[in-house]
Amino acid sequence: MSLSDYTADQLLAEFKRRAERAEQEQPIERWCQDCDNWRYSRGDDDTTPNCLKLHKMSFRMPEDYPDSEEWGHYRRDCADFIDRSPDAPGPDLTAYVPKPAPPAPPPRRSTRQPARHADAVTVPAPAGAQLMLRPMHQRPKPGQRFAVYTKGGLMRRACHATRIMGVGLDAIVIYHGKYAIDESEAIGWWPERAE
């Protein structure tokens, strides 16, 4: 097999794998946690960088965790590395106060019955209401207020119609509050007097 048998992406992926393997096999002489510029994290929500010099660090995680193998953050040839004194204090978690959780967002106001359509209610239809109905195919005029009688025996009051026109489209949509009515559930409608 020759190199021409591989795509450029396959060759680049192989170069990356070999570089990572070589990096893993190369011993690390100085670990960042042994530096005087290292800052221990104080909790899971502590997002402050661990390096006081804000250097980008690499992290080595051994695959099999042998007792003799070290792991942690490192930076090769760091010019700011200062040996930490052996008697330097370790992490101090006693005085740490975790950040409070952000406040919950306020609950959204229900839009089922918007305030500007407070009279758009659904009530049981009165007896004999079906005798006064106009069929749904006789559309109400746009802007007209009317009530819709449903197959479930309910009356949706304060409905209004909107005319929608477009290329090859001329239709009337009936709204109850801000929601369009499914006309397959309606039997008919009748006008309401303006109050």
Side-chain angles (χ1 to χ4, degrees):
M1 260 184 148
S2 67
L3 290 178
S4 61
D5 295 333
Y6 298 97
T7 66
D9 288 340
Q10 289 172 327
L11 291 172
L12 290 173
E14 180 61 24
F15 291 147
K16 183 178 178 187
R17 273 194 299 274
R18 290 184 184 194
E20 288 173 353
R21 191 179 318 127
E23 174 66 28
Q24 282 292 98
E25 292 172 356
Q26 190 175 1
I28 296 171
E29 297 172 7
R30 300 186 299 195
W31 296 91
C32 291
Q33 57 264 28
D34 298 329
C35 175
D36 210 33
N37 293 316
W38 175 262
R39 188 194 72 83
Y40 288 98
S41 295
R42 304 188 73 189
D44 291 338
D45 60 346
D46 185 359
T47 57
T48 308
N50 294 103
C51 179
L52 297 177
K53 299 291 185 178
L54 305 179
H55 290 309
K56 183 178 179 183
M57 300 174 286
S58 300
F59 187 80
R60 177 170 289 182
M61 174 73 73
E63 293 180 8
D64 52 357
Y65 289 100
D67 292 337
S68 60
E69 191 171 351
E70 291 188 278
W71 57 277
H73 290 92
Y74 66 96
R75 177 179 170 82
R76 295 200 187 277
D77 304 322
C78 181
D80 294 317
F81 188 90
I82 302 170
D83 281 318
R84 183 186 291 268
S85 157
D87 57 344
D92 178 21
L93 302 178
T94 56
Y96 177 65
V97 177
K99 296 177 185 174
R108 293 181 58 190
R109 187 173 70 85
S110 171
T111 56
R112 297 303 283 171
Q113 289 287 336
R116 61 190 174 93
H117 298 293
D119 57 343
V121 294
T122 302
V123 295
Q130 194 165 356
L131 301 174
M132 303 178 286
L133 286 180
R134 297 183 185 177
M136 292 307 291
H137 67 270
Q138 292 179 0
R139 296 281 192 217
K141 295 176 185 171
Q144 181 180 6
R145 284 172 58 98
F146 53 93
V148 174
Y149 185 65
T150 67
K151 292 178 182 174
L154 298 174
M155 181 173 63
R156 299 195 191 281
R157 295 198 61 228
C159 294
H160 65 281
T162 301
R163 186 172 187 178
I164 299 175
M165 297 179 69
V167 178
L169 176 68
D170 186 2
I172 299 249
V173 178
I174 298 173
Y175 289 94
H176 181 246
K178 68 181 260 188
Y179 296 97
I181 291 179
D182 181 2
E183 291 186 40
S184 66
E185 296 295 317
I187 298 173
W189 64 278
W190 61 92
E192 285 191 322
R193 287 193 299 266
E195 297 174 5

